[in-house]
Amino acid sequence: YLGQGEWMSPAGVIAELDENGKIIIKRPLNEGESVEQLINYSHNERGLTLLPSDVINIDGTLYMQAMWNEGIGNVLYTQIWKSTDQGKTWKSVTTIPTSYLDGYANLITWEQGPDGYIYMMSSEFQRADDVYLTRFKPSDFGNRDAWEHYSMFTDRTGTWGDSYSPVISDKMAAGEMSLRYIDGYWVLAMFNAETMAIEVRISKEIAADWNAITPAQVVVAGTGGWGAEQTPSNFTQLYGGYIMPGSTIDNMDLIVSQWNSSDNSRYMSTQ
């Protein structure tokens, strides 16, 4: 029930899709009926919590990146884990200081491209910054010295290397992101605090000027607030915008969350 039970993050569940494509949560990922944290740690009075950014499946091995926060937005460092037993147990791969990429690699999303590279879009966890692009080979999850960043020139071409510049900076205050390769296209769904909307951008190429792509604002906070009916045009205190597995370009499902942080009366995710 809302507001009851232990404070846990991250947690996992076993789920399936029904005949209408809706998510049905079956049970916790761990054994037993009570959900457990995927990573064993204790919260503290300063608000220590581990918030996951994204999970990727590479040939049956799951990789999860998460941010250690002491108070939401106060990122201490980030960490990558891997699981070879479908998420039951996790082993640390590497820790990454907040100084890496000037903090713009804290909040991430990643997807494997058809060329085999892992492509990662990222930003600071402040809902105030631009979006950056990084790539690396699957063997280099734990070797960020081998990670390459994308730097764009004034003519909108770019290069991979040590330097970096944003791929989205126009009217952008990046929140949670979800990057997926679908039907031959790169799809980025995200919460943009600048527009207070869940936005979707689609590009044939990943290394591109994403500023040139007009986003679809599929769910917006609106102006009605909590006193008005909650609809896609008035989805108050929204965040997330995660692309559902099985989505296609023509039929795409997003998971959009809400949190009424004033009284916790609404804390949920909607498909």
Side-chain angles (χ1 to χ4, degrees), residues 107 125 127 174-178 189-192 238-242:
L107 177 67
F125 189 40
R127 293 181 171 174
E176 300 78 29
M177 294 179 280
S178 181
M190 66 178 298
F191 172 65
N192 184 359
L238 75 174
Y239 63 98
Y242 299 101

Side-chain angles (χ1 to χ4, degrees), residues 10-192:
V13 298
I14 302 292
E16 64 183 18
L17 301 181
D18 67 13
E19 64 276 10
N20 298 315
K22 297 299 183 182
I23 297 174
I24 304 297
I25 295 176
K26 307 293 287 188
R27 62 174 180 82
L29 186 58
N30 52 268
E31 297 297 330
E33 293 298 318
S34 298
V35 67
E36 299 173 1
Q37 289 183 158
L38 299 181
I39 306 299
N40 184 22
Y41 72 100
S42 298
H43 302 270
N44 62 26
E45 68 280 358
R46 296 184 301 277
L48 181 68
T49 190
L50 181 62
L51 300 181
S53 293
D54 205 354
V55 176
I56 190 171
N57 185 336
I58 304 298
D59 298 326
T61 297
L62 301 178
Y63 292 88
M64 175 176 65
Q65 187 267 17
M67 303 171 285
W68 289 100
N69 289 249
E70 245 182 17
I72 302 298
N74 179 32
V75 179
L76 305 179
Y77 60 95
T78 67
Q79 195 164 353
I80 297 174
W81 289 265
K82 71 176 181 180
S83 173
T84 56
D85 56 8
Q86 297 184 308
K88 294 179 181 178
T89 60
W90 296 85
K91 179 181 179 181
S92 179
V93 174
T94 187
T95 58
I96 300 175
T98 55
S99 58
Y100 182 69
L101 210 70
D102 292 328
Y104 297 128
N106 287 347
L107 177 67
I108 69 103
T109 180
W110 48 23
E111 173 74 311
Q112 188 170 29
D115 58 2
Y117 274 95
I118 309 300
Y119 288 92
M120 181 180 87
M121 284 190 170
S122 63
S123 188
E124 177 62 280
F125 189 40
Q126 296 291 334
R127 293 181 171 174
D129 300 288
D130 299 334
V131 176
Y132 294 80
L133 178 62
T134 298
R135 74 176 184 181
F136 54 89
K137 295 179 180 179
S139 57
D140 288 326
F141 272 95
N143 178 24
R144 66 178 180 273
D145 289 338
W147 294 13
E148 297 178 308
H149 311 300
Y150 191 68
S151 181
M152 198 157 47
F153 305 132
T154 54
D155 64 357
R156 293 186 174 182
T157 63
T159 185
W160 294 98
D162 294 331
S163 59
Y164 48 89
S165 63
V167 291
I168 312 179
S169 56
D170 184 27
K171 298 179 181 178
M172 176 53 57
E176 300 78 29
M177 294 179 280
S178 181
L179 177 69
R180 297 294 183 261
Y181 188 71
I182 302 173
D183 297 338
Y185 291 88
W186 289 95
V187 182
L188 177 67
M190 66 178 298
F191 172 65
N192 184 359

